[in-house]
Amino acid sequence: LHHLIDFIKLNLKNRLSDILASDFISDYFDKLYEQGYFYFIFDSFDEIPMLLDETETSWLVNKVSALLYSICSHNKNTRIVLSSRYFRQPTKQFKTHVKMQIKPFSETSVKMCFHNFTNSDQLAVKRFSKHKEMMSIARNPFYASLISLYYKDTKSLPTKEVDLYESFIISRLNQCERVFGNISSNGLNVSQVIYYAQSIAIAIYKNANYGIEIPYNSIIDDIRIPELVIDILHKAKLLR
């Protein structure tokens, strides 16, 4: 438990990157935790790097479940929200009091979402309703928003799922260029930034040590991605 709390404090200090915040955490975090003033939100259990290659019945899944629960069992006033996909979810060692499940959109909800995103464009809703394959994946709220954004940009529906991601990435980078002008001003174009982003994704996929995250130094030193590209991806909300 102490190692986990230390990790949380160090992570907060690194993310905040502020000397005053760092001093505050050093001086008051433990006291506030002991008095139950914190509400911990962990997102997401199934994406913890050490668990990515584990099965649902793994001893490690069981141990991590127990470890996370110990944060609140150590102090009855501490509250925790732990999210997870259904596969590789926490075991009974995480003794939850309330369990909520995010259900897929109904067909009516999907149509309402698309209707709102397209500013009540009846033709758009009619086209969307005829594409049953789009209706199927749009039951996931994330995909529903991607489809709506795709239509907003192109006035058409995608022919395959990969089009959704490509359109979203290009749209974010174009928006970043409009707002900050930090792509052309650095002698780059959108295609070049996407190439660098693909290099990062491939490196993460091929190296089992990275999981779903990669150290900043590895991006700079090993993959040799320019720091200005990382700044662009960060401002476009494509990297955090």
Side-chain angles (χ1 to χ4, degrees):
L1 175 60
H2 294 300
H3 291 302
L4 178 58
I5 295 298
D6 287 343
F7 169 79
I8 292 171
K9 289 192 288 187
L10 180 61
N11 189 272
L12 281 173
K13 290 179 180 180
N14 289 337
R15 287 178 182 273
L16 293 172
S17 298
D18 183 286
I19 56 173
L20 297 180
S22 180
D23 284 345
F24 180 86
I25 291 168
S26 296
D27 293 340
Y28 296 107
F29 186 98
D30 290 340
K31 296 175 184 177
L32 292 170
Y33 169 60
E34 291 295 335
Q35 294 175 30
Y37 282 105
F38 287 135
Y39 202 119
F40 292 93
I41 301 176
F42 294 105
D43 179 31
S44 163
F45 182 85
D46 61 293
E47 293 179 355
I48 296 174
M50 69 173 64
L51 300 181
L52 287 177
D53 295 323
E54 299 294 325
T55 64
E56 289 186 287
T57 56
S58 167
W59 67 270
L60 189 56
V61 172
N62 206 45
K63 284 291 186 182
V64 175
S65 300
L67 175 61
L68 291 175
Y69 180 72
S70 69
I71 291 179
C72 60
S73 63
H74 178 72
N75 187 330
K76 65 180 181 180
N77 293 319
T78 301
R79 308 292 176 85
I80 292 181
V81 172
L82 176 61
S83 69
S84 178
R85 292 175 179 82
Y86 185 80
F87 178 71
R88 209 188 297 110
Q89 62 182 301
T91 67
K92 292 181 180 179
Q93 290 296 319
F94 187 81
K95 302 170 185 177
T96 178
H97 297 293
V98 177
K99 189 174 183 179
M100 294 186 289
Q101 182 179 356
I102 300 175
K103 293 185 175 181
F105 275 162
S106 65
E107 188 169 319
T108 301
S109 297
V110 172
K111 289 180 179 178
M112 186 181 299
C113 175
F114 196 68
H115 184 273
N116 293 336
F117 262 102
T118 57
N119 297 319
S120 306
D121 185 333
Q122 295 301 322
L123 177 60
V125 175
K126 187 176 180 180
R127 286 178 179 173
F128 179 70
S129 300
K130 289 181 178 179
H131 284 69
K132 296 300 181 182
E133 71 281 2
M134 288 292 109
M135 185 70 73
S136 176
I137 65 172
R139 292 184 183 278
N140 180 307
F142 172 71
Y143 285 111
S145 63
L146 286 185
I147 293 170
S148 300
L149 290 170
Y150 183 96
Y151 189 90
K152 188 176 181 180
D153 287 340
T154 66
K155 300 304 178 187
S156 63
L157 290 170
T159 57
K160 49 188 182 297
E161 192 174 320
V162 70
D163 292 342
L164 294 174
Y165 304 118
E166 182 179 18
S167 173
F168 175 74
I169 292 169
I170 291 173
S171 176
R172 277 295 177 89
L173 290 173
N174 285 333
Q175 184 180 1
C176 189
E177 172 66 8
R178 287 196 303 272
V179 174
F180 301 109
N182 57 349
I183 297 178
S184 59
S185 64
N186 285 299
L188 296 169
N189 57 44
V190 168
S191 296
Q192 289 172 309
V193 176
I194 291 175
Y195 172 79
Y196 282 122
Q198 288 173 333
S199 299
I200 297 172
I202 291 170
I204 293 174
Y205 178 77
K206 288 186 174 181
N207 192 324
N209 294 323
Y210 291 148
I212 58 173
E213 294 184 344
I214 184 171
Y216 182 86
N217 289 341
S218 294
I219 297 178
I220 301 296
D221 300 332
D222 300 338
I223 316 176
R224 300 190 181 283
I225 304 296
E227 290 191 54
L228 60 93
V229 171
I230 298 174
D231 182 63
I232 291 169
L233 292 172
H234 183 262
K235 286 183 176 176
K237 301 298 183 184
L238 296 173
L239 176 151
R240 63 179 183 178

